[in-house]
Amino acid sequence: MKRIAVLTSGGDAPGMNAAVRAVVRKAISEGMEVCGINRGYAGMVEGDIFPLDAKGVSNILSRGGTFLQSARYPEFAKLEGQLKGIEQLKKHGIEGVVVIGGDGSYHGAMRLTEHGFPAVGLPGTIDNDIVGTDYTIGFDTAVNTATDALDKIRDTSFSHGRTFVVEVMGRNAGDIALWSGIAAGADQIIIPEEPYDIKEVVANVKNGYLSKSKNHHLIVLAEGVMHGEAFAAKMKEAGDNSDLRVTNLGHILRGGAPTPRDRVIASWMGAHAVELLREGKGGLAIGIQNEKLVEHPILGSAEDGALFSLTEQGEIVVNNPHKARLDFAALNRDLSN
Amino acid sequence: MKRIAVLTSGGDAPGMNAAVRAVVRKAISEGMEVCGINRGYAGMVEGDIFPLDAKGVSNILSRGGTFLQSARYPEFAKLEGQLKGIEQLKKHGIEGVVVIGGDGSYHGAMRLTEHGFPAVGLPGTIDNDIVGTDYTIGFDTAVNTATDALDKIRDTSFSHGRTFVVEVMGRNAGDIALWSGIAAGADQIIIPEEPYDIKEVVANVKNGYLSKSKNHHLIVLAEGVMHGEAFAAKMKEAGDNSDLRVTNLGHILRGGAPTPRDRVIASWMGAHAVELLREGKGGLAIGIQNEKLVEHPILGSAEDGALFSLTEQGEIVVNNPHKARLDFAALNRDLSN
Amino acid sequence: MKRIAVLTSGGDAPGMNAAVRAVVRKAISEGMEVCGINRGYAGMVEGDIFPLDAKGVSNILSRGGTFLQSARYPEFAKLEGQLKGIEQLKKHGIEGVVVIGGDGSYHGAMRLTEHGFPAVGLPGTIDNDIVGTDYTIGFDTAVNTATDALDKIRDTSFSHGRTFVVEVMGRNAGDIALWSGIAAGADQIIIPEEPYDIKEVVANVKNGYLSKSKNHHLIVLAEGVMHGEAFAAKMKEAGDNSDLRVTNLGHILRGGAPTPRDRVIASWMGAHAVELLREGKGGLAIGIQNEKLVEHPILGSAEDGALFSLTEQGEIVVNNPHKARLDFAALNRDLSN
Amino acid sequence: MKRIAVLTSGGDAPGMNAAVRAVVRKAISEGMEVCGINRGYAGMVEGDIFPLDAKGVSNILSRGGTFLQSARYPEFAKLEGQLKGIEQLKKHGIEGVVVIGGDGSYHGAMRLTEHGFPAVGLPGTIDNDIVGTDYTIGFDTAVNTATDALDKIRDTSFSHGRTFVVEVMGRNAGDIALWSGIAAGADQIIIPEEPYDIKEVVANVKNGYLSKSKNHHLIVLAEGVMHGEAFAAKMKEAGDNSDLRVTNLGHILRGGAPTPRDRVIASWMGAHAVELLREGKGGLAIGIQNEKLVEHPILGSAEDGALFSLTEQGEIVVNNPHKARLDFAALNRDLSN
C-alpha cells in the first residue's frame, strides 16, 4: 500500500494520540503516505480527510483525548453509510485504514472488511473490555486517575471516620474498579461480573467499625452495577448506619496525559498496524496477549480466532468476550481484612 | 505557658497535618510541651488527649487529611460542653490551645475565649472563605486538584465537541471555581457572589459554537449556586441544544498531598500560633493578609478588627466577611473570548 | 494603541504561555491587534514576527515552556541591535511590546524605553529573583516540582538511612530552596543569602543520627552557594561520616505544566500589561506586591520607585534588589528539630 | 507453617510496602502469624525482628520506599552470617521468609535455600533486570517518574532549541531508558545492551536540525553505558555543535508513591508468596511471565528452570539472564523520525 488513513472513534481514551502518532511516523518510515480522518466514521463519510506528516504529530504523544476528535455515528451501521465511506477513502487514494476505538469502532472495521476494504483495529478504550486483548489503550491511565482520586478520598474518609461509595466507569467490565480498588486498598469492590449480597456488604462495613480494625470504609463500585447513589440507598435500606457518602469520579477518568505504559502500548500497536497494512493485510484487530502483540480476524469463525461472527440472520456474535479478573476480586478480599 | 494542645475541626483540609507538625515542633523548640486532641471538640470534651513529640509528627507533612481526625460536635455550641472541654484541658495541664479549622471551629475558639481560656485559631478549609485572611490552609491544594480535573475533562470535551458543566466545592465562596476556572481556561464561571442570567449562559455557549472559535465549552459551577444537574436542566430549559454533560468533582477536592504552598503557609501559621501562646496571648485568629501574618481578635468589636461580635441577644455577627474576587470573574470574561 | 506584540526572553518558565495567551486574548477583547515575536530579542531584530489570534493560543494555557521560544541575544545590549529591533517593530506597525522574562529581558525593555518605544515587562522566571515583585511567573511550579522530587528522595533517604544533598536551581536567590525545603521538611537549607558554617552543618547531621530522632538527613542546597558535589566534598572534609549522596534536580525544575497559581498570576499580569499599553503607558514593569498588581518604572530614579537607574557612566544600578526570606530560613530551623 | 517473616533488601523500590502489606494481610487471612525484619539481612542476623498485624500495614500501600528499611550487608555472603541469620529466625519461631529485593537479595535467599530454610523471593527493583520475571516491583513507577521528568525537560529543550542528554538509572538494563524514552518521544535512546556509534549519534542530531523537522533533540541515556557528562563530552569530540545540556535524573527515580500497576503486581505476588510458604514450599522466586504468576527454583539446574546454578567451584551462574527489549529499541528508531 502507498497511502493509508487513521481515525479514532467512540469514547476518547488517553493514548489514542500516541497511537495516531505511531501510525503516522511508522508509515512515513516505510515510505507510505498517511492521512488523518476527523471525527471517526462521520468524518470518513463526509470526506473530512487530510494529509498528516511527521511534524504534524510531534506534540501529541503526551496529550489526552484525540486530536482527530471522535463522534458517534450510527449511520455507519447501515450499508449506505459504509459504501459512501469507502467511496470517500478511494477518492482520497487511500488503500487501508487504521481504526482506533472500542466495540462500536470494531463493528465499523468489520463492515469495511465485509466490503473488502483493508482495515486494522486497535483497542482504544479506558474500560479494558475489548475482545482479543488483555489490555486496551487508555486503561492504565484511567486506573491511575481512579487510584489517585481514591487515595484522596481515603484522606477525608479517614479524617472523618466515614464510609465512601466511589463510583468508577465500567459499564460492562469491572476492570477499572478491580485494579484501582486493589491499588487503593479498597475495603470492598463491587463489579458487574460478580454477584454481591447487599446484606453482606453492610455487614462488612459494620464489622470493620465494630472490630476497631477500621475507622473508615471505602467501597469501589463499577458503574455497570448501578449508580453510587442507588447503591448507597440500598445499603441504608439494608441497615447501614455509618456516616455514608457517595462520589462519582465520572468523566475525569477519560482524560489526562496518558501514562508511559499507555503511550508505549499505543506506539507499539500503532506501528504494528502499519506493518500489517504494508503487507496488504486487513480485517485484523491487534491486541496484546501474554505481553506479545497478536492479531485476530475481526470477522470470521470462532475456530479461526475471529473476534466476531455473523449469524445467518446477520446478528453479531462476540466470540470469547472479555473476562473479568475474578482472581483479583478474590485477592482483594484477602487483603482488605 | 508550659503546655499547649492542638486540634483540627470541621471539614478536613490538606495542610492541616503540616500545621499540627509546626505547632508541635515549634512548641518543642521553645521548651514547651504539646498534646494532640483527637476528633476536634468532641475529643476535647471526652478527654481524648495525648502527648505529641517531634518524632510523632515526622511523617505527616506531605499527607492529606488530618491524622488527629475531625468531627462535627454541635454539643460544643452549648455552655455545658464548653465548660466540660475546658475542664478536660485543665485536667491535662493544658494552658492554651491551637484550633485549626473553618467557621465552626472559630466559633468554638470564640467560646473558649469568652470563658477566658487562651485559644488561637488557624484558618483550615479548602473553601478560602474564612474571615480575617486572604488564604486558608488547603485552598491551594483544592485549586490544584480542581484544575487538574478540569484539564482532564477538557480533553474529552474537545475530543467529542461537548459542553461540560463541572461542579466544584464552595458553598458560600466561589474562590475555588474562580481560580481553577481561570487556570483551566473555563469558558464560563458561575459563582454564588455574582448574579448570572441563564439565557446569557446559553447564548454564550451557542455563540461559541456558531462562531467556530470553539468546538467545545467548559462551564465551572460553584456548588453554592446550585448542583450541576440542576444547572444543566436550567440550561436545557433555556434552549441549550449542545451535547451537554455534567460532572461533580465532589470529595476528591478535599484530600491529597498538600501543595508546597499549603505546607509552607500551614507551617508559618502554626509556628506563629505557638509564639502567640508562649507570650500568653489567646483569643486571636491568625491570617495572611498582603502576604504577611496578621492576627485579629476572634471576639470583640468591629472597630478593633475582631472577626466576630455578639449582639445583645447573643447572636454572632461576622465583621468583614470574606469577599469574592469579582475582578477575577471579570478577568476570565476577557480571557475566555 | 492599535497593534502590540509579545515576546518571551531568557530562561523559559512555566506560565509564560499563560501570560502570552492573556496578552493576546485581552488585546483582542479591547479591539487591538496582537503579534507574537519568536525567540525573544533575536526574533525582534530579525523580524520573526507574526499575527496571533484567540484560537492560536487556545491550547497553550496548561503547557510548560514557551511556544514563542526564547533565546539569548547579547547583541541587544548594543545600540545597533536595539535600533534595528525598533525598526522591525515599526515596520510591522507595532506600537507597544510586552516582554516576559527575567533580568536580562528587563534590560532589553529598559533600552526600548530609553529609545521611547513603549514596553511593559512581566516577571517570568522560576527563580523568583526579579526586582519589583513578590512573585514571578514560574516560581510556584518550580517549587512544586522541587518539593515533589524531595518527597521522592526522602523515601529512599529514609529506607537506607542516608544523608542527601539535593541541589536546586537558584543562582542568586534561595527562594526555591527555602520554599521547597520547608515544604519537604528539609533538615537543613543552605542558601546564598545567608552564611553557613560547614562544621555546624556536619554537627547537625551527626546530632540527628546520635539523638536517634532522625534516621536520615535531607539538605537542600541552592545552586548559587556551590554545586552539590562540591558541598558534599566539603562536608566529608569537615568530618561527615554518614552515608552521603548527592542529587542535582537540574533542568526538570524549568519545565512542566504550570500550577494553577502560576497560570492565574500570569493571566492577571498579562491582561494588565495590555491595559497599560492601551492607555499608552510604557516603560513599566508589572509585579505583585502584597497580593496586588503594581507597576514600577523600569528606568528612573530610586525615589520614583524605578527598578533600574543608570549611573553617569551608563552602568545599571538595581534599586531595591530582591530580598531573601530570612524569616523562612529561621522558621525551618525551628521546625527541623 | 504457622509463622513467617518478611524483609526488604537492596535498593528500595516503590511497591515494596505494598508487597509487605500483602504478605502480612494474606498470612493473617490464612491464620498464620507474620513478623517484619528491619534492614534486610542485617536485621535478620541482628535479630531486629518484630510482629506485624493487619493494622500495622494499613497506611503503607501508597507510600514509596520501604518502611522495613533496607541495607547492604555483605556479611551475609559468608557462611557465618547465614547460619547466624537462620538461628535468629528459628529463635523467633519463624518457619519461612519472604525476601523482597533484587539480585543480591536473591543470592541471600539462595543461601537460605542451601541451608534448607524455606525462602520465597519477590523481584523488587526499579531496574527490571531480575531473572525469571518480565516485570519487577517498582519498574512501572520509575518509568512514570522518568517520563514525567523527560516531558518537563522537553519543554525547556523546545523553548531554547537545545539538545539534552538525560541520564536515567539502569546499570545493566536499559529497560527504564527504553520505556521512558519511547513514552517521551526521545529522539535517541542509548542502552548498554546495544552498541552505538557516537558519530551516528551526532549525525542524527545534526540531520534533525538541518532538515528543519526538529528544533530540539532529546537523548535518553542508560547509566550503564556511561555517565551523561562523559557521553556529552564524547559527542562534542565527535563534532556536535548544538547547544548541548546534560541532566541526570538520579535518585528521584527510586522514590515516590507506587503506580497502581506496581501496587497491584506487588499485592498479587506478595499474596502468592504466602500461599507457597503455607504449602511448605521454599527455595522459589516468584515472577510474572506472560501476565501470569510463575515460580522458579532459586537454585538448581538450568533444565529445571532454576534462576541460579552453582559451579563446582561455588561460583554463581545466572541462567537465562534478563534480556533487553531490542524490538523496542527498533520501534523507537522508527517513531523518532
Side-chain angles (χ1 to χ4, degrees), chain B residues 127 152 177 192 272:
Chain B
D127 288 339
K152 287 187 166 76
H272 189 53

Side-chain angles (χ1 to χ4, degrees), chain A residues 66 69-70 155 158-159 215 256, chain B residues 66 69-70 155 158-159 215 256:
Chain A
T66 160
Q69 297 193 271
S70 189
D155 288 340
F158 167 82
S159 298
N215 93 316
Chain B
T66 162
Q69 297 193 269
S70 188
D155 287 340
F158 167 83
S159 298
N215 94 316

Side-chain angles (χ1 to χ4, degrees), chain B residues 161-163 187-188 198-219 234-244:
Chain B
R162 281 181 190 154
T163 305
D187 296 292
Q188 300 189 64
I198 194 76
K199 281 184 199 144
E200 211 181 302
V201 171
V202 169
N204 284 340
V205 173
K206 208 162 283 186
N207 291 337
Y209 288 113
L210 281 177
S211 72
K212 302 266 174 193
S213 67
K214 301 179 187 206
N215 94 316
H216 64 292
H217 205 96
L218 188 58
I219 299 173
K234 279 190 81 160
M235 283 177 64
K236 283 298 171 197
E237 228 174 275
D240 176 71
N241 56 9
S242 67
D243 185 0
L244 181 64

Side-chain angles (χ1 to χ4, degrees), chain C residues 168-221:
Chain C
V168 300
M169 283 192 170
R171 225 165 285 174
N172 311 303
D175 292 50
I176 292 176
L178 279 173
W179 282 75
S180 65
I182 292 174
D187 297 292
Q188 300 189 63
I189 303 174
I190 314 290
I191 55 172
E193 299 97 330
E194 209 183 40
Y196 68 91
D197 175 352
I198 194 75
K199 281 185 198 140
E200 211 181 302
V201 170
V202 169
N204 284 340
V205 173
K206 208 161 282 186
N207 292 338
Y209 287 113
L210 281 177
S211 73
K212 302 266 172 192
S213 67
K214 301 179 186 208
N215 94 315
H216 63 292
H217 205 96
L218 188 58
I219 299 172
V220 178
L221 173 76

Side-chain angles (χ1 to χ4, degrees), chain B residues 7-332:
Chain B
L7 66 81
T8 54
S9 163
D12 65 316
M16 280 183 160
N17 282 329
V20 172
R21 172 182 175 271
V23 169
V24 171
R25 294 282 180 91
K26 176 71 177 178
I28 288 168
S29 86
E30 297 288 347
M32 298 157 83
E33 289 173 0
V34 61
C35 288
I37 301 173
N38 280 322
R39 291 171 303 112
Y41 294 106
M44 182 194 284
V45 171
E46 295 166 19
D48 194 351
I49 298 170
F50 63 103
L52 275 169
D53 62 9
K55 214 170 180 181
V57 293
S58 63
N59 265 319
I60 64 171
L61 182 56
S62 63
R63 232 170 285 163
T66 162
F67 87 105
L68 291 179
Q69 297 193 269
S70 188
R72 302 175 132 258
Y73 192 64
E75 290 84 344
F76 206 75
K78 295 178 196 146
L79 183 63
E80 199 196 328
Q82 296 156 17
L83 297 180
K84 187 110 189 264
I86 292 173
E87 195 189 309
Q88 290 281 15
L89 293 173
K90 288 186 174 162
K91 213 172 85 184
H92 285 80
I94 290 161
E95 299 165 90
V97 66
V98 180
V99 170
I100 308 167
D103 267 348
S105 318
Y106 273 38
H107 290 170
M110 187 187 74
R111 295 309 176 188
L112 294 173
T113 302
E114 275 192 295
H115 300 302
F117 194 90
V120 172
L122 296 194
T125 169
I126 62 167
D127 288 339
N128 209 38
D129 63 351
I130 305 292
V131 298
T133 190
D134 294 342
Y135 289 104
T136 59
I137 297 167
F139 173 63
D140 191 57
T141 306
V143 169
N144 268 40
T145 304
T147 303
D148 187 52
L150 290 168
D151 282 351
K152 287 187 166 76
I153 289 168
R154 179 179 290 289
D155 287 340
T156 287
S157 182
F158 167 83
S159 298
H160 293 273
R162 281 181 190 154
T163 305
F164 266 90
V165 172
V166 184
E167 178 185 337
V168 300
M169 283 193 171
R171 225 164 284 173
N172 311 303
D175 291 51
I176 293 177
L178 279 173
W179 283 75
S180 65
I182 292 174
D187 296 292
Q188 300 189 64
I189 303 173
I190 314 290
I191 55 171
E193 299 98 330
E194 210 184 39
Y196 68 92
D197 175 352
I198 194 76
K199 281 184 199 144
E200 211 181 302
V201 171
V202 169
N204 284 340
V205 173
K206 208 162 283 186
N207 291 337
Y209 288 113
L210 281 177
S211 72
K212 302 266 174 193
S213 67
K214 301 179 187 206
N215 94 316
H216 64 292
H217 205 96
L218 188 58
I219 299 173
V220 177
L221 172 76
E223 138 193 58
V225 177
M226 74 181 67
H227 277 305
E229 294 289 356
F231 193 82
K234 279 190 81 160
M235 283 177 64
K236 283 298 171 197
E237 228 174 275
D240 176 71
N241 56 9
S242 67
D243 185 0
L244 181 64
R245 306 291 165 112
V246 177
T247 289
N248 180 354
L249 297 188
H251 279 87
I252 62 165
L253 294 189
R254 282 211 175 285
T259 59
R261 189 172 160 84
D262 272 334
R263 299 187 206 177
V264 169
I265 284 179
S267 300
W268 196 22
M269 287 179 168
H272 189 53
V274 172
E275 281 168 358
L276 292 177
L277 287 178
R278 193 196 50 192
E279 298 165 12
K281 291 180 190 163
L284 296 170
I286 292 177
I288 289 189
Q289 287 179 333
N290 297 331
E291 290 288 317
K292 280 168 199 64
L293 286 185
V294 294
E295 58 256 6
H296 295 279
I298 298 179
L299 184 63
S301 67
E303 296 82 53
D304 295 343
L307 304 186
F308 307 113
S309 303
L310 289 176
T311 64
E312 287 189 14
Q313 287 75 35
E315 275 158 19
I316 300 173
V317 178
V318 178
N319 304 319
N320 293 311
H322 174 74
K323 286 195 196 77
R325 294 291 305 254
L326 296 184
D327 59 327
F328 273 14
L331 171 65
N332 197 61

Side-chain angles (χ1 to χ4, degrees), chain C residues 10-12 64-67 69-70 145 149 152-153 155-156 158-162 164 215 247-249 251-252 254-256, chain D residues 10-12 64-67 69-70 145 149 152-153 155-156 158-160 162 164 215 247-249 251-252 254-256:
Chain C
D12 64 317
T66 163
F67 87 105
Q69 297 193 269
S70 189
T145 304
K152 286 186 168 75
I153 288 168
D155 287 341
T156 287
F158 167 82
S159 298
H160 292 274
R162 280 180 189 154
F164 266 91
N215 94 315
T247 289
N248 180 355
L249 298 187
H251 279 86
I252 64 165
R254 283 212 174 285
Chain D
D12 64 318
T66 162
F67 87 105
Q69 297 193 271
S70 190
T145 304
K152 287 186 166 76
I153 288 167
D155 287 339
T156 287
F158 167 82
S159 298
H160 292 273
R162 281 181 190 153
F164 266 91
N215 92 317
T247 289
N248 180 354
L249 297 188
H251 279 86
I252 63 166
R254 283 212 175 285

